[in-house]
Amino acid sequence: MNVIFLGPPGAGKGSVAAVIKERFSLLHFSTGDILRAEIKAATPLGLAAKSFIDSGKLVPDDVIIGMVEAKLAENKGGILFDGFPRTVAQAEALAKIAKIDAVIELDVPEDVIVARICSRRICSECGAVYNTAYYDKANCEKCGGKLYIRDDDNETTVRERYSVYVKNTAPLSDYYKAKGLLKSICGTDSIEGVADLVTAVLNEAKA
Ligand code: AMP
């Protein structure tokens, strides 16, 4: 089964994906995570992508599509796409390489998103994600790694990322609705609560 998570930055796609990938044995495929790993490794792709990411803009479609095709070339199992596709051109490229079974859109209002992202902390070792409202320590409770703030997790960049989402990515709701694949769910509940709603949708899609 191949699934897409749609939703603005901070909607909880990554956190919910971490639960859902285990429940349905899916590969969690986050283009944002892949790009951050490329930046960390200072590869040519990472260097090309960094200024777009830091300013909240989208990395150009041809770069993203080439990266996705290369990363998925060897993959055989089901995939949970998180943060891809983000434009209609990316969705059309994806349609050529994978059959999509369900598209789940997480609805979260802009102000909730800004508050969530500005209090987000990430483990530099294992990638665990925290919110300072619930966990406000310097090190990860799972592996002890140092927590950091993403360069693009500040209010100015978040508002830019949100407007980029509305302009470039929100049209994908209609694109997938027309294909009968879209299911919108409220993303303001807890991670477990949202994951349970997603589980119900995916069980139905599988049946
Ligand atoms: P994310 O971790 O999904 O919030 O992505 C962080 C940043 O990476 C975005 O703001 C974009 O600059 C870039 N990015 C991630 N995925 C894509 C994509 N599918 N298309 C274009 N840019 C992307």
Side-chain angles (χ1 to χ4, degrees):
M1 180 165 62
N2 293 319
V3 180
I4 295 172
F5 274 5
L6 279 184
K13 300 185 298 294
S15 303
V16 175
V19 179
I20 295 297
K21 72 167 185 184
E22 300 296 338
R23 290 189 187 171
F24 290 88
S25 302
L26 300 173
L27 170 74
H28 178 196
F29 189 85
S30 157
T31 42
D33 285 350
I34 295 168
L35 290 167
R36 281 184 287 280
E38 297 280 341
I39 290 172
K40 202 169 172 188
T43 64
L45 171 59
L47 296 175
K50 187 170 173 18
S51 62
F52 293 101
I53 295 176
D54 286 349
S55 60
K57 307 273 187 237
L58 292 183
V59 176
D61 281 338
D62 55 338
V63 174
I64 292 288
I65 292 167
M67 177 183 95
V68 169
E69 285 171 349
K71 295 273 174 198
L72 291 182
E74 305 288 308
N75 185 71
K76 298 271 185 285
I79 305 169
L80 173 45
F81 291 97
D82 161 8
F84 177 85
R86 264 174 152 100
T87 62
V88 171
Q90 291 180 17
E92 284 170 349
L94 177 59
K96 293 188 188 133
I97 54 175
K99 176 187 168 288
I100 300 303
D101 301 287
V103 179
I104 297 181
E105 178 179 56
L106 302 183
D107 274 337
V108 181
E110 183 177 0
D111 284 345
V112 175
I113 280 165
V114 172
R116 271 188 189 175
I117 289 197
C118 292
S119 51
R120 178 157 72 180
R121 301 289 180 273
I122 300 173
C123 176
S124 52
E125 297 297 324
C126 72
V129 179
Y130 296 93
N131 184 306
T132 55
Y134 306 103
Y135 184 88
D136 198 11
K137 299 191 179 156
N139 292 85
C140 178
E141 67 175 350
K142 295 182 182 137
C143 74
K146 199 169 161 13
L147 301 189
Y148 74 98
I149 303 174
R150 268 171 54 173
D151 289 343
D152 57 346
D153 277 358
N154 57 75
E155 181 163 353
T156 310
T157 311
V158 170
R159 294 217 185 260
E160 172 64 17
R161 284 156 67 198
Y162 187 83
S163 68
V164 165
Y165 177 81
V166 170
K167 181 164 175 257
N168 298 97
T169 310
L172 289 180
S173 306
D174 284 341
Y175 176 91
Y176 285 115
K177 198 185 284 171
K179 295 184 186 303
L181 292 171
L182 186 81
K183 184 83 187 168
S184 288
I185 62 175
C186 175
T188 55
D189 197 357
S190 65
I191 295 166
E192 281 293 322
V194 176
D196 287 347
L197 295 173
V198 172
T199 299
V201 171
L202 296 186
N203 280 334
E204 211 171 292
K206 253 183 17 178

